[in-house]
Amino acid sequence: MSVTDRRTELVGSLARVEERISAACAAAGRKREEVTLIVVTKTYPASDVRLLAELGVRHVAENRDQDAAPKSAECAGLPLTWHFVGQLQTNKVRSVVAYSDIVQSVDRTKLVGALSTAAVRAGRELGCLVQVALDAESGEAGGRGGVAPAEVPALADAIADAEGLRVKGLMTVAPLAGPYAGRQRAAFEHLMEISSSLRGRHPAANMVSAGMSTDLEEAVLAGATHVRVGTAVLGVRPGLR
Ligand SMILES: *Cc1c(COP(=O)(O)O)cnc(C)c1O
């Protein structure tokens, strides 16, 4: 497909997503500015990221360092905030910290230590979200990453105490299993409760990242501040990851 055709396609899909976010904000009695669109560009090329930036997108997200590192390098200089949303191994942290502004998938104290060391070494301040697994019991990890709700305060405190890191809020992916399976609205409302108690301890940690292509309305209705949308903007990913 030519760049011009791709541009036309993205203009249309962005307009449809914008329409959905605006309608959900109106239904929730929220202002449109209260919700930030993050376009998840994983598996799509740097040329798409460039087009998105031209079309006014300011936030993009990636989930694999192997893809994100070269892509972000190709896109250096564009006015974009880069979010990392994938499960993160400590041996990738140094690379991820070089291009990410916010890591949304912080789910263990070992990772906090590694992120802090890398941020200090890079002379950067890194925003961190605690990833919550709404289907996980205390002590176990969520199938798609994340910590059990009961472990959020301790992990948030660890981030707040770590040099080079800022605790910015929470992220979740609607669970496929457990009591919230198929109940996105209830899942996101539970996340909002966890967010209110987090803000009691860390008032600036007011980001709530929830909602994807299929459930962004439920997230906006519940009170999410950031939605992460891939497929609905860029199309169905070749080879689902
Ligand atoms: C891929 C991904 C998304 C976007 O999912 P879509 O269904 O394509 O909108 C959002 N969040 C995370 C963590 C992802 O990995």
Side-chain angles (χ1 to χ4, degrees):
M1 189 187 301
S2 76
V3 176
T4 320
D5 290 347
R6 183 58 166 156
R7 191 177 209 279
T8 306
E9 199 171 79
L10 293 179
V11 167
S13 62
L14 275 173
R16 286 190 293 276
V17 167
E18 179 53 40
E19 181 78 12
R20 288 175 60 190
I21 297 173
S22 299
C25 285
R30 302 180 65 192
K31 295 201 189 81
R32 173 62 189 87
E33 311 87 82
E34 291 175 33
V35 179
T36 300
L37 169 65
I38 303 171
V39 178
V40 183
T41 47
K42 64 187 181 196
T43 77
Y44 285 97
S47 54
D48 279 350
V49 177
R50 194 166 287 280
L51 283 171
L52 290 168
E54 280 175 31
L55 297 173
V57 169
R58 289 295 168 261
H59 294 262
V60 293
E62 288 283 332
N63 74 334
R64 283 162 55 96
D65 178 58
Q66 299 93 301
D67 301 333
K71 202 186 295 185
S72 60
E74 272 186 72
C75 295
L78 296 178
L80 292 170
T81 296
W82 290 77
H83 298 253
F84 192 85
V85 298
Q87 285 180 258
L88 183 51
Q89 294 164 305
T90 48
N91 65 345
K92 303 284 189 206
V93 158
R94 198 168 166 182
S95 173
V96 166
V97 165
Y99 56 83
S100 299
D101 300 291
I102 297 186
V103 172
Q104 298 205 359
S105 43
V106 179
D107 63 358
R108 56 201 192 278
T109 34
K110 192 178 166 203
L111 187 55
V112 173
L115 287 166
S116 171
T117 304
V120 169
R121 186 176 299 169
R124 297 197 64 163
E125 177 128 300
L126 185 71
C128 292
L129 304 187
V130 175
Q131 183 179 345
V132 184
L134 294 167
D135 56 341
E137 303 288 342
S138 280
E140 70 174 18
R144 304 158 96 187
V147 291
E151 283 150 36
V152 169
L155 195 53
D157 289 353
I159 296 167
D161 290 343
E163 212 182 328
L165 307 184
R166 283 256 169 106
V167 57
K168 303 283 271 184
L170 301 177
M171 183 271 262
T172 204
V173 179
L176 295 172
Y180 290 106
R183 300 173 57 225
Q184 281 88 341
R185 179 78 187 271
F188 297 144
E189 278 170 359
H190 187 202
L191 185 72
M192 292 309 298
E193 291 166 12
I194 301 166
S195 170
S196 333
S197 54
L198 174 68
R199 280 174 281 139
R201 295 161 77 94
H202 302 285
N206 57 7
M207 275 179 71
V208 180
S209 172
M212 319 199 298
S213 290
T214 54
D215 54 18
L216 71 88
E217 283 85 359
E218 284 85 353
V220 170
L221 286 169
T225 62
H226 291 70
V227 291
R228 309 178 308 270
V229 181
T231 311
V233 172
L234 289 155
V236 176
R237 284 179 289 279
L240 204 75
R241 293 187 204 174

